[in-house]
Amino acid sequence: MQRIRISDARHHAGESVEVAGWLYNLRRSGKICFPLVRDGSGIMQCVAVKASLDETLFESLRSLTQESSLVIRGKLRAEERAPGGVEMDVESAEILQRVPETDPYPITPKDHGIDFLMDHRHLWLRSKRQHAILRVRHEVIKAIRDFFDSNGFLNVDTPIFTPAACEGTTTLFEVDYFEDEKVYLTQSGQLYNEANVMAHGKVYCFGPTFRAEKSKTRRHLTEFWMVEPEMAYATLEDVKQVAEQMVVFIVGRVLENRREELKVLERDVSKLESIRAPFHRMSYDDAVKILQSRGSEIQWGGDFGGTDETILTQEMDRPVMVDRFPATFKAFYFQPDEARHDVVLGVDVLAPEGYGEIIGGGQRIHDLDLLLRRIDEHHLPREAFNWYIDLRKFGSVPHAGFGMGVERFTAWMCGLEHIREAIAFPRMLYRTRP
Amino acid sequence: MQRIRISDARHHAGESVEVAGWLYNLRRSGKICFPLVRDGSGIMQCVAVKASLDETLFESLRSLTQESSLVIRGKLRAEERAPGGVEMDVESAEILQRVPETDPYPITPKDHGIDFLMDHRHLWLRSKRQHAILRVRHEVIKAIRDFFDSNGFLNVDTPIFTPAACEGTTTLFEVDYFEDEKVYLTQSGQLYNEANVMAHGKVYCFGPTFRAEKSKTRRHLTEFWMVEPEMAYATLEDVKQVAEQMVVFIVGRVLENRREELKVLERDVSKLESIRAPFHRMSYDDAVKILQSRGSEIQWGGDFGGTDETILTQEMDRPVMVDRFPATFKAFYFQPDEARHDVVLGVDVLAPEGYGEIIGGGQRIHDLDLLLRRIDEHHLPREAFNWYIDLRKFGSVPHAGFGMGVERFTAWMCGLEHIREAIAFPRMLYRTRP
């Protein structure tokens, strides 16, 4: 008998097939029971009728416990009311492992606290919402890669072990390398991207990044995935354009391929359907004025807090790009604005509905003398940056790029309150298990 | 004037365009010079004739130093002998940054030692061979993802920070987490894959992995990228079949899209063209006999050394899959062979021409009692594995998977002597910079 995946069941109506999965739920009456079986690709409703089955088998199905594993066989019948459009009339089944009633599956349809669920993350992943979220995440990742691959960018991975800090040293995780050497986990692949882009013109890195921030907010993980494109012969304006095109592309793919999942998540898709170019654009100066007028205590020169980002974006129908930040709180490598030396050519893209920052980027300094000055002003050790300085000595060109966090983007797509559900095994200040 | 990438130049023959790049090389006579310009996508030959250019510009081009950055403009002319099939008749140019003759680009066409090149990795990446290798690597990564995405696997990233060791504790990098907590960098996403696969049926993780091995061989990096697929309701045979299909698919993509690069690398493509299914298959028992007959000192029960892998594969025309290894040197989670309890259902795939192991995998223990026994036999702390044990309590099913190293695969495709060139910034025992 052909084994199929539930996601393909619709194409097999009228056929007898087998499905290998787990018992998701079960309704029953005396002479009939309805096992809901999941196999990872979907959920299928089955109908087991006592009169047409071996008695032991019927009783075994009828009393089956949640998450027991089974292979179930039968004829598929088109049924528009069933999830997936087909139902299985059970002919036989084989139970691989019956979860004992004395030690039942710990996650039941009733409500559990978040700590309980996080402690059982390895099982919680099987529930409908978590299943849907990780499928959206996959779509986001695939869309990101397809976007860059089809636009002439080369994927060049940057190292995780780095000898120096990219943006400050206080939020670095330190690793014991061999023989008393210390290395740090990357916070961003950008500096290395800048070397790679001079070899390949357009590149992106895409991997995990690490920040030892003691932030316990709904927007922070200590380990998160980030894509970082970089372009040679490019400016701040190019960054804004590519970021905008990329976001529109990803949202389009999610809407195209993950409607079912968004429905499970009760996501208001009209909010995503309104994401199109052009995004809102404003300067940091104007953003500060708007924030002040709405009651924020931010002063010119200060970075946005999470609340500021929420205030700025909660009424927005599409993302907003804020640019030209004070040089004072941005990293040493930002190119200053020629027209106004107190601001740099950086941009943040904030997602609407209060989701806040998903992208940060800008144009990098390409002039050797200016870079050296900035390294000194930031009290960074020149020696550690010799290779980076080389990039300004040997064929320097204006270049620019950005970074986008996968979990923040996924949380926005899914309408999640907290970023911790946007990755399979989140790592946070007080969470390193399971 | 339209700016184009050199990879598209062929489609613009007859047009006047501009190219933004770097001077790769320069030939000259008194009244004419031939700048070779690279822009990351390719290399273009340009022709600058003194009589038809501004004199200052001509002199400036004629004396231009290697790796200086420039935007060059002119008319493209079809020329079959030129790389890329077109040549540019230069009309104007703008030099962005001239590399000074007093501090010239350090990597010249003459031979440099490997330490010098590795110290200048940030620049070495621009040279023709390194450029070609990273383009092959990109193709390998893309092919891997396309293969799994189009075969119903979900990409679920597994954590980098792990509380416990997956395969032994001696080769782990330790990280200082917050408040005296210690975590370790992942050596494999497999244990977490096993949780994810019970939620999604077929999954893969794809990210950097870390091994603190003090090996200084041509096959080892301390930080390398690995794809790890895992399948529920699957056995050792499924692993062999999927691994075989995947390898054939990737090799096909590399041959389809990276011919030019393989030519630059002087790779004998006939060796890659002969990679097709079925691969050679042999048991560990037979492999040991063959090795002994060829002079290896291996005894039954011992793991292959690098030399053994070379001996086994150097005469092969396609990969060989060796299976059923002694339980003694494999990790605790391997499913034993029912027919012979001294061996486990593991498989290694060795690449031909002496490249050796690129894939390792097998079937995992799904029986709760057996798993508990193995954890005890391996003196592992049960407490740390509680969540992993849960997977055998709540709907356990036979499952299997494998891991494949991206750099080893890329080295094989490119015909590299040493794996260190198969990643942009390799990390090895004595190499953490730049």
Side-chain angles (χ1 to χ4, degrees), chain B residues 247-248 251 271-277 279 317-319 352 412:
Chain B
V247 170
V248 169
V251 174
K271 301 283 192 196
L272 301 181
E273 283 163 343
S274 66
I275 306 302
R276 56 177 68 96
F279 293 171
D317 62 332
R318 54 186 81 178
W412 169 37

Side-chain angles (χ1 to χ4, degrees), chain B residues 357-383:
Chain B
E357 188 189 337
I358 48 170
I359 290 176
Q363 189 171 331
R364 330 302 187 182
I365 290 173
H366 62 276
D367 181 74
L368 175 62
D369 293 332
L370 178 56
L371 182 69
L372 292 174
R373 214 155 59 230
R374 282 286 206 253
I375 287 175
D376 294 345
E377 284 166 11
H378 281 74
H379 308 293
L380 295 166
R382 271 199 197 189
E383 193 278 323

Side-chain angles (χ1 to χ4, degrees), chain A residues 5 21-22 38 69 97 122 126 137 152 157 160-161 177 181 222-223 233 390 395-396 427-428 432, chain B residues 5 21-22 38 69 97 122 137 152 157 160-161 177 181 198 222-223 233 390 394-396 427-428 432:
Chain A
R5 296 196 92 192
W22 297 266
R38 64 169 192 87
S69 49
Q97 193 241 334
H122 53 294
R126 304 181 188 183
R137 188 180 193 277
D157 295 308
I160 307 297
F161 287 147
Y177 209 67
E181 194 177 348
T222 54
E223 173 188 322
Y233 287 96
D390 269 0
S396 191
R427 297 298 183 237
M428 294 171 289
T432 56
Chain B
R5 296 195 93 192
W22 297 265
R38 62 167 195 89
S69 50
Q97 192 240 334
H122 54 294
R137 187 181 195 276
D157 295 309
I160 307 296
F161 287 148
Y177 209 66
E181 194 177 347
M198 302 304 162
T222 54
E223 172 188 324
Y233 287 96
D390 269 0
F394 304 114
S396 191
R427 297 299 183 236
M428 294 171 288
T432 57

Side-chain angles (χ1 to χ4, degrees), chain A residues 3 5 20-22 38-41 67-71 96-97 99-100 103-106 120 122-123 125-126 130-131 134-135 137-138 141-142 145-146 149 152-163 173-179 181 183 185 192 195-202 204 206-208 210-214 222-223 225 232-233 258 383 387 390-398 423-425 427-434, chain B residues 3 5 20-22 38-41 67-71 96-97 99-100 103-106 120 122-123 125-126 130-131 134-135 137-138 141-142 145-146 149 152-163 173-179 181 183 185 192 195-202 204 206-208 210-214 222-223 225 232-233 258 383-384 387 390-398 423-425 427-434:
Chain A
R3 178 172 297 180
R5 296 196 92 192
W22 297 266
R38 64 169 192 87
D39 74 345
S41 79
E67 284 302 319
S68 289
S69 49
L70 77 167
V71 176
L96 272 82
Q97 193 241 334
V99 175
D103 187 5
Y105 187 69
H120 292 83
H122 53 294
L123 303 174
L125 290 169
R126 304 181 188 183
Q130 302 307 315
H131 184 263
L134 286 187
R135 285 173 65 90
R137 188 180 193 277
H138 168 105
I141 292 170
K142 184 164 166 47
R145 290 186 170 269
D146 286 349
D149 292 346
F153 287 75
L154 200 80
N155 177 200
V156 184
D157 295 308
T158 50
I160 307 297
F161 287 147
T162 57
F173 286 111
E174 193 176 276
V175 181
D176 300 318
Y177 209 67
F178 302 100
E179 288 165 21
E181 194 177 348
V183 295
L185 297 181
Y192 291 96
N196 297 333
V197 82
M198 301 306 161
H200 293 278
K202 298 203 272 184
Y204 69 97
F206 195 164
F210 306 87
R211 303 231 173 138
E213 289 177 284
K214 289 203 166 174
T222 54
E223 173 188 322
W225 285 69
Y233 287 96
R258 294 296 185 232
E383 193 278 323
W387 68 270
D390 269 0
L391 305 176
R392 277 71 182 172
K393 289 166 68 179
F394 305 113
S396 191
V397 303
I423 189 166
F425 292 93
R427 297 298 183 237
M428 294 171 289
L429 186 48
Y430 299 115
R431 169 68 61 190
T432 56
R433 290 158 196 268
Chain B
R3 178 172 298 180
R5 296 195 93 192
W22 297 265
R38 62 167 195 89
D39 74 345
S41 79
E67 284 301 319
S68 290
S69 50
L70 77 165
V71 176
L96 273 82
Q97 192 240 334
V99 175
D103 187 6
Y105 188 69
H120 292 84
H122 54 294
L123 302 175
L125 291 170
R126 303 181 189 183
Q130 302 307 314
H131 185 262
L134 287 187
R135 286 173 64 90
R137 187 181 195 276
H138 168 105
I141 293 169
K142 184 163 165 49
R145 290 187 170 268
D146 286 349
D149 292 348
F153 286 75
L154 200 80
N155 176 201
V156 184
D157 295 309
T158 50
I160 307 296
F161 287 148
T162 57
F173 286 111
E174 193 177 274
V175 181
D176 300 317
Y177 209 66
F178 303 99
E179 289 165 22
E181 194 177 347
V183 295
L185 298 182
Y192 292 95
N196 297 333
V197 82
M198 302 304 162
H200 293 278
K202 298 203 272 184
Y204 68 96
F206 195 165
F210 306 87
R211 305 233 170 136
E213 289 176 285
K214 289 203 167 175
T222 54
E223 172 188 324
W225 286 68
Y233 287 96
R258 292 297 185 234
E383 193 278 323
W387 67 271
D390 269 0
L391 305 176
R392 277 71 183 174
K393 288 166 69 179
F394 304 114
S396 191
V397 305
I423 188 166
F425 292 93
R427 297 299 183 236
M428 294 171 288
L429 185 49
Y430 299 115
R431 170 67 61 187
T432 57
R433 289 160 196 267

Side-chain angles (χ1 to χ4, degrees), chain A residues 24-51:
Chain A
Y24 187 71
N25 209 338
L26 183 71
R27 285 188 302 119
R28 58 196 149 189
S29 69
K31 293 175 178 172
I32 190 164
C33 72
F34 303 94
L36 271 178
V37 175
R38 64 169 192 87
D39 74 345
S41 79
I43 293 179
M44 192 171 65
Q45 180 160 298
C46 303
V47 185
V49 180
K50 185 172 183 176

